[in-house]
Amino acid sequence: MANTKLEGLVAAPVTAFDPDGTVNPDLIALQAAALHANGVIAAFVNGTTGEGFSLTVEERKAIAERWVKTAPADLKVIVHVAHTSAVATQELASHAANIGAWAVAEMGPIFFKPADVGSLVASVAKTAASAGGLPYFYYHMPSMSGIDLPMIEFLRAAESDVPNLAGIKYTYEDLADYSLCSRYKGGKYDILFGRDEMLLCSLVLGGRGVVGSTYNIMAPLYTQLIDAFDSGDLDRARELQYLSVKVIRCLAGTGCFISALKEVMKMIGLGVGSVRSPLAPISQECVAKLKSDLMELGFFEVCSRLPLT
């Protein structure tokens, strides 16, 4: 398998819905163009931010197909394929390979959970084998999956059974384990850090690839943060990370982070509809307060911009 290491911002796109709650794939081309124009290098589709587990298998296939078809040539598409059914997971992995996705990723299994690392490896090996040789990333997010196993042990156990293992989407605060994974066998695997509000921590530990939901709305801020770190301006990097934390706290404080994220996308010119049940839209009063709070923070000075048309 070719070197799959990613350096830069990997956005986790939202899924656009029409007012009647159906998926609107026609907005994907604009979403992809906006990410690309703002310096994002890849899109992680049908994941948590994309409400992947609230979509049908056919919806997820259609979304993945449209992303692969419309994304700019140098915007890589990683398709999240996990499902509560192992058969459906493998079907989605095979589909991602057939449509020309760049890689697949999997969180889970999330309902009947593996009891130990060996059980987890046995499960994901079947998904990875269904992906037609595409790079495979395990999606480590204990807060959502309920699977809290040491990822360094996962790497040790998986490398012989998952030949197309590319790395881990590491969305967790265990920086010690993250560091061990990043340095395993001289950095053999790509450990993509997935907590936007802790991006600077990952850079300090040697990380270069990061995945996040707020890269949809403020990719320029994170690019500036990385540039500041690389140039040795830690004070500037810290200030930008602090601003990121405050923006994320504003979104989370609404009661529905993804709904708030979609409202902010609308504020910057990319309306993508609301969220699908069981998530609920935030009230218009909440939207107004969110906008006011973001203006006070100076968010709109560092937010993503739509590409010129």
Side-chain angles (χ1 to χ4, degrees), residues 46-300:
N46 290 335
T48 304
T49 306
E51 301 174 72
F53 284 111
S54 297
L55 304 171
T56 68
V57 167
E58 292 308 313
E59 286 174 330
R60 290 171 66 171
K61 286 182 178 180
I63 290 167
E65 288 171 13
R66 188 65 69 92
W67 271 98
V68 170
K69 180 179 180 180
T70 61
D74 54 347
L75 182 74
K76 297 176 174 65
V77 178
I78 305 169
V79 180
H80 176 243
V81 300
H83 191 283
T84 51
S85 162
V87 174
T89 299
Q90 292 160 31
E91 179 184 343
L92 287 166
S94 177
H95 176 263
N98 290 336
I99 65 174
W102 183 78
V104 298
E106 174 184 16
M107 176 201 293
I110 65 165
F111 188 74
F112 293 118
K113 298 176 179 60
D116 51 42
V117 169
S119 299
L120 175 60
V121 171
S123 175
V124 304
K126 295 176 182 178
T127 304
S130 301
L134 291 185
Y136 172 91
F137 287 86
Y138 177 67
Y139 183 178
H140 182 49
M141 192 178 187
S143 63
M144 298 299 286
S145 70
I147 303 170
D148 189 2
L149 298 168
M151 286 295 99
I152 185 59
E153 293 183 14
F154 169 80
L155 289 179
R156 290 170 180 151
E159 62 179 332
S160 60
D161 292 345
V162 187
N164 54 330
L165 178 63
I168 299 170
K169 179 184 183 290
Y170 200 103
T171 308
Y172 195 31
E173 294 77 16
D174 189 343
L175 294 176
D177 185 48
Y178 167 77
S179 180
L180 289 171
C181 292
S182 297
R183 290 177 172 267
Y184 180 64
K185 289 198 171 178
K188 177 180 179 180
Y189 294 105
D190 198 8
I191 313 301
L192 304 171
F193 194 70
R195 285 290 189 215
D196 308 16
E197 60 270 49
M198 297 175 65
L199 186 155
L200 182 55
C201 299
S202 72
L203 296 178
V204 171
L205 293 172
R208 300 306 301 175
V210 291
V211 187
S213 54
T214 58
Y215 306 160
N216 288 287
I217 59 171
M218 51 179 174
L221 178 148
Y222 294 106
T223 298
Q224 292 173 37
L225 191 163
I226 294 169
D227 289 345
F229 175 82
D230 288 345
S231 67
D233 190 350
L234 292 182
D235 287 340
R236 175 62 174 161
R238 292 188 192 104
E239 283 303 310
L240 289 166
Q241 185 69 88
Y242 181 54
L243 176 54
S244 158
V245 169
K246 290 191 287 186
V247 170
I248 290 168
R249 287 294 179 91
C250 285
L251 296 172
T254 63
C256 183
F257 180 90
I258 296 174
S259 178
L261 178 65
K262 287 186 167 184
E263 291 292 345
V264 177
M265 291 180 69
K266 182 178 179 181
M267 293 175 197
I268 63 177
L270 184 52
V272 288
S274 189
V275 290
R276 178 171 283 184
S277 179
L279 298 181
I282 61 176
S283 69
Q284 287 307 300
E285 292 79 8
C286 192
V287 172
K289 183 178 187 308
L290 175 61
K291 184 174 184 179
S292 175
D293 290 343
L294 293 177
M295 290 180 67
E296 185 175 344
L297 289 175
F299 162 78
F300 294 100

